[in-house]
C-alpha cells in the first residue's frame, strides 16, 4: 500500500470514528446508536442512518468500515457508509428469492438473517426463510444464488452448492480463502461452499441435535442447533451452539471440537472467570475476533461478552437488565416492510456501555479502528462502542441472607476498591426494568433491606454504576419476598391413641413462602413452659409430651420468628386416655349341653 493510500485510510478511519460517536462524546467505552430510530418501518433510506426505521439483524463490516445490516423483517439489506448515510443494497421488500442476474436492489430476498463480505467486497446474504445464500457483485451490483435450491431439507453434499438443500440457516461466515461457511441450523450441521469449485460439503455435525464432548472430530460430532459461524485470527472455525449454550471451536489443524465459552447454564454467573465456566444463556450471536486474540459475542442474557487471549470472560457492554421486548403499536406483518412495531428506547445511550440496556443483541462486528458494533433486533438499532475502554472492568454478585440483599463488586483487574453506587432493579422478562432503590458502596459492597420493598415476590438485580476507575457491571437476578416479615403456618401431628403416663410425640412443623424458617418453638401447657426446641431441617421439631392426668390438655406453641418470618402462637388440644383392660368370664364352665350360660365382661378401671 502506498503512503498516499495509507494516509487516506487513516483519514477515513478518523472520519468513520467521528460518524459513530458524537464529537462531544467520543470517549472510548461509551455506547451510542449508529443506526435505527427504534421502529421497524422502512423509512429513512438516503438519509442519516440514526433517523431510519429498520428491524436490524446480522451485520458485517467491509474494508472501508462501511457496515451492512440484514434488515430481516423488511426483506432487504442496508448499508451505512462512513458519513452515516443509509442506502439500500439488496431487496425490494418482498419476501421471495427472485431477481437473480439483475440488480440486487430490484430483487427479492426472503428473510435475510446474516451477511458476510469477501476480500473483493462482494456481499453474501443468507436467506433464512428462502433457504439460500445470495451474492451481490461488488462491481456490478448484480445478485445471484451461490448456495441452496430453496428446499428446506438436507441434500447435495459433494455437488454444486446451488443445487444443494439447506434448512432454515441462520449463520454465515467467510474464511481467508473466501470459502463460505453456513450454519445450517435446521440440519444441525455446518456446511462449506468452496470458493473455487462451488462444491457443497459438511464440515461439522451429523444432523443429530445433540452435544458432543470436546475432542470429538467435528465431522462426526453432534451439534445442538448451530446458529452462527465465525473465524478467529488463527483460522479456527467458531460455532455458536445455541441449545448447548456454548461456543465451540473446530481446530483448523486437527478438525477436533473444543469449547471456547459456556458451561451449559442459562443463568448469569459472573465475569472474571474462565469462559468455559461462564453461563451464556440461549445465544444466537456470531463471534468477532480482534488481532490480539480477543473474542466478542452477544450472550443470551443482555450482555456482550469478551473472552481474552487467556480465556477469561468479561462483559464489555450491557448490564444484563434486558430483554425488555417489543410493544406492538398496531397490527403488521413481518415481511415487505409492513411491520410497525415500536421497539424500546436505547437505554444508556451516550453513557458507559457496561450499564446500558441491550434487549435482543444477535450480531456483532469489529471495525478497523477498534469500534464494536452491536445489532439489537428488539431495540431495532445498531449501537457502537469504541474499545478499549479507559476504565477497568468489574464483576457484581448479588446474594440474599435473611432479609438483606448484598451486592458485592470486585475488580476483574486492578487493586483499588470500587466506589460509587449500586442501583437495585426489578428484573423482568419483558417491559422496562424498574428502579427499586440505590445504595452507596461501602468497602466494595452495598445492601438493600427487602422489607422496604412492596409486599410480594420480586426478582431483583444489582447494577454497579461505576466510578472514575472502574466500569459498571450488573448481577444476575435473585428472587426475594418484599414487605415486612410474613406470617408462617404452624401445625402439630399427635400420635393416636395417646395414653396417660406414656410419652406422646408432638411433631411440630413451621412453613412459609420465604424459604425454610429458622428459630425455635416454645411449648407450654397453661402457664407452665415445658420446653423450647429448635427447628431442624428448616421447619421441623419434635417434643415428647407426658402427663399422668387423663383428659384434655391445652398445649401452646410459640414460634420465635426469624429474619423472614414473624412470631406466631397456636394452641391445640391433646387428649390423654387411661389404658383399659377387658376380661370375659362365664358363670358356668364347663357348661352342660342345652344349659344357659351367662357371659360377664369386666372393664377396668371401672371409671
Amino acid at each position: 500500500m502506498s503512503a498516499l493510500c495509507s494516509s487516506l485510510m487513516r483519514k477515513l478511519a478518523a472520519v468513520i470514528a467521528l460518524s459513530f460517536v458524537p464529537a462531544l462524546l467520543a470517549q472510548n467505552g461509551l455506547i451510542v446508536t449508529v443506526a435505527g430510530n427504534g421502529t421497524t418501518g422502512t423509512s429513512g433510506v438516503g438519509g442519516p442512518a440514526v433517523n431510519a426505521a429498520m428491524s436490524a439483524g446480522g451485520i458485517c463490516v467491509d474494508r472501508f468500515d462501511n457496515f451492512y445490516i440484514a434488515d430481516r423483517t423488511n426483506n432487504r439489506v442496508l448499508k451505512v457508509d462512513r458519513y452515516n448515510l443509509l442506502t439500500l443494497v439488496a431487496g425490494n421488500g418482498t419476501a421471495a428469492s427472485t431477481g437473480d442476474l439483475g440488480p440486487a436492489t430490484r430483487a427479492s430476498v426472503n428473510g435475510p438473517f446474516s451477511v458476510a463480505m469477501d476480500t473483493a467486497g462482494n456481499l453474501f446474504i443468507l436467506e433464512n426463510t428462502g433457504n439460500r445464500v445470495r451474492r451481490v457483485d461488488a462491481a456490478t451490483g448484480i445478485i445471484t444464488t451461490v448456495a441452496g435450491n430453496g428446499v428446506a431439507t438436507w441434500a447435495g453434499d459433494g455437488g454444486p452448492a446451488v443445487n444443494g438443500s439447506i434448512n432454515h440457516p441462520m449463520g454465515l461466515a467467510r474464511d481467508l480463502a473466501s470459502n463460505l461457511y453456513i450454519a445450517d441450523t435446521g440440519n444441525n450441521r455446518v456446511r462449506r461452499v468452496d470458493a473455487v469449485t462451488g462444491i457443497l460439503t459438511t464440515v461439522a455435525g451429523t444432523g443429530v441435535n445433540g452435544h458432543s464432548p470436546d475432542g470429538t472430530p467435528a465431522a462426526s460430532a453432534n451439534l445442538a442447533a448451530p446458529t452462527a459461524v465465525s473465524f478467529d485470527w488463527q483460522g479456527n472455525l467458531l460455532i455458536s451452539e445455541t441449545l448447548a449454550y456454548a461456543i465451540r471451536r473446530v481446530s483448523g489443524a486437527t478438525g477436533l471440537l473444543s469449547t471456547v465459552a459456556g458451561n451449559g447454564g442459562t443463568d448469569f454467573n459472573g465475569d472474571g472467570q474462565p469462559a468455559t465456566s461462564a453461563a451464556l444463556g440461549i445465544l444466537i450471536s456470531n463471534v468477532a475476533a480482534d488481532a490480539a486474540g480477543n473474542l466478542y459475542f452477544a450472550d443470551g442474557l443482555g450482555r456482550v461478552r469478551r473472552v481474552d487471549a487467556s480465556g477469561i470472560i468479561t462483559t464489555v457492554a450491557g448490564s444484563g437488565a434486558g430483554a425488555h421486548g417489543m410493544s406492538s403499536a398496531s397490527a403488521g406483518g413481518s415481511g415487505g416492510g409492513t411491520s410497525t412495531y415500536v421497539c424500546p428506547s436505547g437505554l444508556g445511550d451516550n453513557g458507559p456501555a457496561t450499564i446500558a440496556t441491550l434487549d435482543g443483541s444477535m450480531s456483532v462486528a469489529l471495525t478497523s479502528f477498534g469500534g464494536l458494533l452491536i445489532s439489537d433486533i428488539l431495540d431495532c438499532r445498531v449501537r457502537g462502542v469504541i474499545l478499549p475502554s479507559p476504565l477497568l472492568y468489574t464483576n457484581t454478585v448479588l446474594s440474599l441472607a435473611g432479609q438483606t440483599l448484598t451486592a458485592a463488586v470486585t475488580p476483574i483487574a486492578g487493586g483499588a476498591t470500587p466506589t460509587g453506587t449500586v442501583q437495585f432493579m426489578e428484573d423482568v422478562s419483558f417491559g422496562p426494568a424498574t428502579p427499586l432503590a440505590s445504595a452507596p458502596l461501602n468497602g466494595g459492597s452495598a445492601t438493600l433491606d427487602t422489607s422496604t420493598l412492596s409486599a410480594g415476590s420480586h426478582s431483583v438485580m444489582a447494577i454497579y454504576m461505576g466510578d472514575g476507575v472502574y466500569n459498571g457491571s450488573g448481577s444476575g437476578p435473585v428472587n426475594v419476598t418484599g414487605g415486612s416479615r410474613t406470617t408462617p403456618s404452624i401445625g402439630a401431628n399427635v400420635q393416636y391413641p395417646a395414653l396417660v403416663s406414656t410419652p406422646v410425640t408432638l411433631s411440630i412443623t413451621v412453613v412459609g413462602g420465604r424459604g425454610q424458617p429458622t428459630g425455635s418453638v416454645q411449648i407450654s401447657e397453661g402457664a407452665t413452659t415445658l420446653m423450647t426446641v429448635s427447628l431442624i431441617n428448616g421447619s421441623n421439631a419434635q417434643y415428647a409430651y407426658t402427663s399422668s392426668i387423663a383428659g384434655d390438655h391445652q398445649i401452646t406453641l410459640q414460634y420465635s420468628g426469624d429474619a423472614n418470618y414473624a412470631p406466631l402462637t397456636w394452641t391445640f388440644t391433646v387428649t390423654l386416655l387411661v389404658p383399659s383392660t377387658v376380661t370375659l368370664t362365664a358363670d358356668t364352665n364347663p357348661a352342660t349341653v342345652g344349659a344357659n350360660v351367662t357371659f360377664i365382661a369386666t372393664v377396668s378401671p371401672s371409671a
Side-chain angles (χ1 to χ4, degrees):
M1 183 181 292
S2 68
L4 178 60
C5 288
S6 297
S7 175
L8 179 59
M9 289 298 292
R10 285 194 297 269
K11 291 179 180 179
L12 285 175
V15 171
I16 297 163
L18 290 177
S19 73
F20 286 157
V21 185
L24 295 177
L25 298 167
Q27 297 103 332
N28 288 17
L30 300 185
I31 192 167
V32 295
T33 294
V34 296
N37 66 6
T39 60
T40 59
T42 58
S43 63
V45 173
V50 292
N51 296 336
M54 63 183 63
S55 62
I59 55 176
C60 70
V61 178
D62 68 17
R63 59 196 176 105
F64 300 112
D65 283 322
N66 306 304
F67 65 94
Y68 299 78
I69 307 167
D71 191 9
R72 56 191 184 86
T73 64
N74 292 318
N75 297 298
R76 59 183 187 165
V77 176
L78 305 171
K79 173 185 176 182
V80 180
D81 69 13
R82 58 184 179 270
Y83 303 110
N84 198 243
L85 293 180
L86 186 76
T87 54
L88 177 69
V89 295
N92 59 17
T94 301
S97 301
T98 60
D100 273 3
L101 303 180
T105 53
R106 298 180 186 175
S108 299
V109 292
N110 197 351
F113 203 89
S114 297
V115 284
M117 185 77 60
D118 67 16
T119 54
N122 301 305
L123 177 68
F124 295 83
I125 305 167
L126 181 141
E127 294 184 10
N128 171 259
T129 312
N131 300 296
R132 289 176 169 87
V133 178
R134 317 279 291 278
R135 174 185 182 271
V136 180
D137 187 270
T140 65
I142 298 299
I143 192 169
T144 54
T145 297
V146 295
N149 59 12
V151 180
T153 186
W154 179 70
D157 270 10
V162 291
N163 297 334
S165 296
I166 51 181
N167 189 357
H168 293 95
M170 295 178 68
L172 188 65
R174 177 194 57 81
D175 66 15
L176 293 178
S178 290
N179 301 303
L180 277 180
Y181 289 74
I182 304 166
D184 193 357
T185 309
N187 287 321
N188 295 298
R189 290 175 166 91
V190 175
R191 317 281 288 277
R192 176 183 182 272
V193 180
D194 188 274
V196 177
T197 64
I199 297 299
L200 182 68
T201 54
T202 295
V203 295
T206 62
V208 175
N209 185 347
H211 180 68
S212 291
D214 287 355
T216 305
S220 58
N222 299 329
L223 297 176
T227 53
V229 284
S230 317
F231 284 90
D232 63 20
W233 277 60
Q234 288 73 43
N236 303 304
L237 174 65
L238 303 175
I239 303 171
S240 299
E241 199 175 353
T242 295
L243 296 184
Y245 319 116
I247 294 174
R248 315 297 295 280
R249 174 188 285 122
V250 179
S251 169
T254 66
L256 299 181
L257 200 64
S258 61
T259 299
V260 174
N263 65 357
T266 57
D267 297 321
F268 179 72
N269 67 340
D271 284 315
Q273 61 178 321
T276 51
S277 300
L280 306 182
I282 304 176
L283 76 160
I284 62 173
S285 169
N286 65 307
V287 179
D290 66 18
N294 301 306
L295 304 177
Y296 298 84
F297 60 90
D299 68 9
L301 302 168
R303 297 168 170 87
V304 173
R305 315 285 287 275
R306 179 189 71 196
V307 179
D308 67 19
S310 68
I312 300 299
I313 195 166
T314 307
T315 295
V316 296
S319 66
H324 295 285
M326 294 193 297
S327 60
S328 179
S330 62
S334 62
T338 60
S339 176
T340 55
Y341 292 116
V342 176
C343 305
S345 62
L347 299 176
D349 263 6
N350 304 318
T354 54
I355 59 174
T357 300
L358 302 176
D359 295 302
S361 302
M362 67 154 287
S363 184
V364 296
L366 290 170
T367 67
S368 64
F369 57 87
L372 172 67
L373 300 176
I374 307 164
S375 178
D376 195 317
I377 59 174
L378 293 185
D379 284 345
C380 311
R381 288 173 168 84
V382 177
R383 299 169 82 180
V385 182
I386 305 297
L387 297 175
S389 170
L391 303 180
L392 301 174
Y393 291 102
T394 58
N395 181 48
T396 297
V397 175
L398 188 62
S399 59
L400 176 67
Q403 285 185 280
T404 302
L405 278 169
T406 300
V409 181
T410 55
I412 292 177
T417 301
T419 61
T421 61
V422 168
Q423 178 70 58
F424 294 94
M425 306 284 289
E426 183 81 50
D427 182 64
V428 294
S429 297
F430 295 97
T434 305
L436 296 172
S438 61
L441 281 180
N442 183 6
S445 64
T447 60
L448 173 68
D449 184 351
T450 59
S451 68
T452 62
L453 303 178
S454 61
S457 299
H458 297 267
S459 180
V460 180
M461 67 175 297
I463 300 177
Y464 167 53
M465 305 306 290
D467 60 18
V469 176
Y470 293 111
N471 274 294
S473 55
S475 74
V478 173
N479 294 322
V480 302
T481 301
S484 58
R485 291 187 294 178
T486 187
T487 301
S489 297
I490 190 170
N493 289 324
V494 183
Q495 66 190 54
Y496 183 85
L499 306 177
V500 296
S501 302
T502 303
V504 55
T505 300
L506 309 181
S507 297
I508 303 165
T509 303
V510 182
V511 296
R514 284 192 172 185
Q516 293 181 330
T518 59
S520 60
V521 176
Q522 179 181 286
I523 306 166
S524 304
E525 182 174 4
T528 303
T529 298
L530 303 176
M531 179 175 282
T532 298
V533 295
S534 297
L535 293 176
I536 58 174
N537 297 325
S539 60
N540 301 308
Q542 288 189 339
Y543 173 67
Y545 173 71
T546 305
S547 176
S548 60
I549 302 173
D552 292 340
H553 295 256
Q554 299 298 311
I555 305 299
T556 299
L557 304 180
Q558 291 179 293
Y559 170 56
S560 64
D562 62 13
N564 291 315
Y565 296 102
L568 180 66
T569 300
W570 180 58
T571 299
F572 65 103
T573 300
V574 175
T575 301
L576 296 182
L577 305 177
V578 176
S580 63
T581 59
V582 178
T583 59
L584 184 66
T585 59
D587 62 346
T588 304
N589 189 15
T592 304
V593 175
N596 290 331
V597 179
T598 299
F599 293 95
I600 302 168
T602 304
V603 180
S604 177
S606 59

